[in-house]
Amino acid sequence: QSALTQPASVSGSPGQSITISCTGTSSDVGGYNYVSWYQHHPGKAPKLMIYDVSNRPSGVSNRFSGSKSGNTASLTISGLQAEDEADYSCSSYTSTSTLVFGTGTKVTVL
Amino acid sequence: QVELVQSGAEVKKPGASVKVSCKASGYTFTGHYMHWVRQAPGQGLEWMGRISPNSGGTNYAQKFQGRVTMTRDTSINTAYMELSRMRSDDTAVYYCARNSELGTRSGVDYWGQGTLVTVSS
């Protein structure tokens, strides 16, 4: 199972919106609505930000939103804030009943 | 509140094995699969497999078949991941992560703090 493809880095100024893509295949991202997104600050446990493509867990800011089109899922962060600077990873359920993660994206707030 | 507390950092020589523990609290341990995920330096997250704390049944990623063993002790709400015949490229932070309460397809929701395993001669 190959890792899902994410851009290595994305940056934006405070207040702007950015979008991170997560590209897989019809055997994972494209085949199921089970994409999750995680925020990961160095040295800390990853935090679930989006589940099942577009749902936010309780307590996660509504500045974070998720979507999917075909084999590509996306995470959008609107109203970018300094605290959003972190690594972001996607994951998807797969046709072999396993999980696959993305290659990870470093978000920089300029 | 859900909490997953992992064992401390380890340094191992090539060819050795490591066993990482993950103690769960704040929920019914047997009600959720436990996954193990690792992140090598400069790399993305990599799924290793999962265990059903209820039945003990396991699913391993093909890459780790034959080298990884996941077990659990329900009396102390603890899951374990043992990796054998380690190589330098097994150097990574290893995480346990609880399966989402929404079902096995919805990924993971809570993560442990991570355990750094260094393989070096």
Side-chain angles (χ1 to χ4, degrees), chain A residues 4-7 19-24 29-30 32 34-37 53 66-76 90-92:
Chain A
L4 307 176
T5 300
Q6 298 180 231
T19 296
I20 304 167
S21 61
C22 170
T23 301
V29 175
Y32 308 94
Y34 296 114
V35 175
S36 297
W37 288 91
V53 175
S67 63
K68 192 187 86 167
S69 177
N71 294 338
T72 298
S74 298
L75 173 71
T76 298
C90 58
S91 74
S92 174

Side-chain angles (χ1 to χ4, degrees), chain A residues 5 13 17 32 36 39 44 47 49 52 61 65 71 80 90 94 96 98 100-101 103:
Chain A
T5 300
S13 299
S17 292
Y32 308 94
S36 297
Q39 178 190 65
K44 301 183 76 173
K47 177 184 177 183
M49 306 302 284
D52 295 353
S61 170
S65 61
N71 294 338
L80 198 61
C90 58
T94 80
T96 53
T98 61
V100 62
F101 284 89
T103 50

Side-chain angles (χ1 to χ4, degrees), chain A residues 81-106:
Chain A
Q81 299 179 1
E83 68 207 50
D84 300 332
E85 186 161 295
D87 295 325
Y88 292 82
S89 295
C90 58
S91 74
S92 174
Y93 178 76
T94 80
S95 60
T96 53
S97 300
T98 61
L99 270 183
V100 62
F101 284 89
T103 50
T105 298
K106 180 176 179 57

Side-chain angles (χ1 to χ4, degrees), chain B residues 83-94:
Chain B
L83 187 64
S84 62
R85 304 192 303 279
M86 289 197 299
R87 308 179 292 260
S88 58
D89 61 358
D90 290 317
T91 293
V93 177
Y94 289 77

